Amino acid sequence: MISIIIPVYNGFRQLDPAVLHADTEKEIILVNDGSEDDSAKYCQEYADRYANVVFINKAHSGVSDTRNTGIRAAKGKYIMFLDADDNLRAGSVEALVKFFDSCGDAVDLVTYPITTNFHGIILPPHFRYKYLTYSGIYDLRHHPYIGQTTMNIVVRNMGEDNVLFDTSMDFSEDQKYCCDILHKKLKMGFCKEAEYIYHRSEDSSSGRRSGACYVFEQAMRMFEEMFAHYPHDVPAAFQGLYINDLAWKLRCNILYPYHYPEAQFAQANERIRRLLQRVDDMVIWNHPEIDSYHKCFWLSEKHNTAVTPFFLPDAFGLWLYGTCNYGLPCTGRYE
């Protein structure tokens, strides 16, 4: 019924043995990505012990290519992903299969809650769980803040038509993978009865390569290609992904590529603004994790004009003064 792809690069002994126990309804695919320790040996031992465990050994090529190797080998009706140092709550796999079956052909991707454990401390949940409140199918055209960007997902196995990870990316490759699947039907399933337990580490590749010098071009290319799919209205969830990407990188001071020469830096700013112009003002203004000062900043960047607040006895709003993209004087009021 389901194939669980586990990329392995060193440290295989961290894997929860409970995930591997023999189960004819569950195919476990261990893909060793050229580990330099004894991981290949332990993977082979599990494959010899359990009939439902498949072991693939390959040269080191990175996590995206390793997951793609697992996707190509998967025989299950559904495919899910688990990193070797993470866990699943008991009963999660069964709950996910049951839920996905109940969706029929309506969705190609189902997500489920993720709990982040950082050195024994459970971190607050992502703000998307303010909106993902029930098990069901969510229309991405009406939900700006539920975009799926991590690997707590199950996808439909479409054989030769499966979407693969972009091996040219080493940051946000999971976000692109999810969006590449979701853009076809613009609907996503959410199964509240399962749980992915993520053991976060400061040694992760995303933590080591998170500066603008590493990620700016990757991120901009991804969103430019994503938005180009839609000549008219970009789905609300993808708008929300973009403004959230800008916002958290701005807070962490890793958004703007300050290392660029002046002319190239100006071009980078213009790329950011062009995409912002395809984000609805209210998606920016209602974002639950952006403070009012930054909301005003992003609106002023989008419209290339000053933003001034106004106050009424029973309302608060913003005036935008300046020049529209078409060179016509404009004044807009948003309450």
Side-chain angles (χ1 to χ4, degrees):
M1 289 296 294
I2 191 165
S3 298
I4 304 176
I5 297 171
I6 304 176
V8 178
Y9 181 65
N10 299 333
F12 172 71
R13 280 177 288 182
Q14 300 175 60
L15 183 66
D16 183 359
V19 175
L20 298 168
H21 69 81
D23 184 342
T24 57
E25 295 292 305
K26 183 170 63 178
E27 177 186 49
I28 308 294
I29 303 176
L30 302 173
V31 189
N32 181 48
D33 186 28
S35 295
E36 298 170 348
D37 61 4
D38 292 332
S39 291
K41 175 184 138 184
Y42 288 108
C43 287
Q44 187 62 64
E45 287 179 357
Y46 275 111
D48 293 340
R49 187 183 312 169
Y50 299 115
N52 66 315
V53 175
V54 176
F55 172 47
I56 301 172
N57 198 25
K58 57 184 276 296
H60 182 62
S61 59
V63 68
S64 290
D65 185 60
T66 301
R67 287 177 177 143
N68 288 344
T69 299
I71 291 171
R72 293 187 184 100
K75 296 183 176 65
K77 181 179 180 181
Y78 306 117
I79 298 172
M80 69 183 297
F81 303 89
L82 178 68
D83 285 349
D85 54 352
D86 295 336
N87 308 100
L88 298 169
R89 187 177 74 199
S92 292
V93 176
E94 293 76 12
L96 288 163
V97 170
K98 181 179 178 181
F99 174 80
F100 215 145
D101 280 346
S102 74
C103 295
D105 294 327
V107 298
D108 294 325
L109 182 149
V110 169
T111 184
Y112 56 105
I114 185 169
T115 297
T116 302
N117 186 319
F118 185 60
H119 297 301
I121 299 172
I122 303 301
L123 300 184
H126 192 278
F127 66 80
R128 69 170 57 94
Y129 297 111
K130 296 176 182 177
Y131 305 95
L132 292 171
T133 57
Y134 62 89
S135 293
I137 296 172
Y138 291 73
D139 191 325
L140 301 185
R141 291 165 293 193
H142 307 307
H143 291 280
Y145 310 117
I146 65 169
Q148 178 61 32
T149 63
T150 44
M151 295 314 298
N152 51 315
I153 57 172
V154 183
V155 301
R156 189 182 305 279
N157 188 348
M158 294 180 282
E160 294 182 356
D161 294 325
N162 275 326
V163 170
L164 298 176
F165 286 85
D166 186 335
T167 56
S168 70
M169 299 180 67
D170 54 12
F171 192 90
S172 292
E173 76 288 339
D174 47 1
Q175 182 169 243
K176 184 176 188 301
Y177 176 75
C178 292
C179 292
D180 285 347
I181 293 175
L182 291 168
H183 89 84
K184 183 178 180 182
K185 294 180 179 177
L186 293 176
K187 291 182 180 179
M188 178 174 69
F190 175 64
C191 177
K192 194 174 181 178
E193 292 71 33
E195 181 183 19
Y196 188 110
I197 303 169
Y198 167 44
H199 296 281
R200 179 176 168 183
S201 168
E202 55 274 286
D203 295 327
S204 67
S205 59
S206 59
R208 294 193 304 269
R209 297 177 61 83
S210 60
C213 57
Y214 295 117
V215 304
F216 180 80
E217 290 296 335
Q218 290 187 42
M220 292 308 299
R221 184 176 70 250
M222 175 182 67
F223 282 110
E224 286 166 349
E225 292 174 357
M226 184 191 304
F227 281 26
H229 279 296
Y230 307 97
H232 302 296
D233 296 332
V234 176
F238 296 164
Q239 294 183 38
L241 276 179
Y242 180 59
I243 190 62
N244 185 64
D245 192 75
L246 296 181
W248 78 261
K249 287 177 179 174
L250 182 67
R251 290 195 299 268
C252 297
N253 197 30
I254 63 171
L255 172 61
Y256 288 103
Y258 299 116
H259 59 293
Y260 281 177
E262 184 175 354
Q264 190 178 2
F265 183 78
Q267 291 173 355
N269 273 336
E270 185 55 32
R271 291 171 71 185
I272 292 173
R273 289 193 186 100
R274 277 200 301 268
L275 292 179
L276 267 174
Q277 287 161 8
R278 303 202 63 193
V279 178
D280 186 86
D281 288 347
M282 299 312 295
V283 170
I284 299 173
W285 188 248
N286 290 326
H287 196 291
E289 293 296 299
I290 304 178
D291 65 40
S292 298
Y293 300 100
H294 282 177
K295 289 175 181 179
C296 289
F297 171 73
W298 290 120
L299 286 168
S300 67
E301 286 293 284
K302 171 185 173 179
H303 294 280
N304 196 25
T305 185
V307 176
T308 303
F310 69 88
F311 300 91
L312 299 174
D314 58 352
F316 162 77
L318 300 172
W319 285 99
L320 279 72
Y321 301 96
T323 302
C324 291
N325 297 332
Y326 302 104
L328 300 173
C330 69
T331 301
R333 170 172 159 173
Y334 297 88
E335 293 187 55

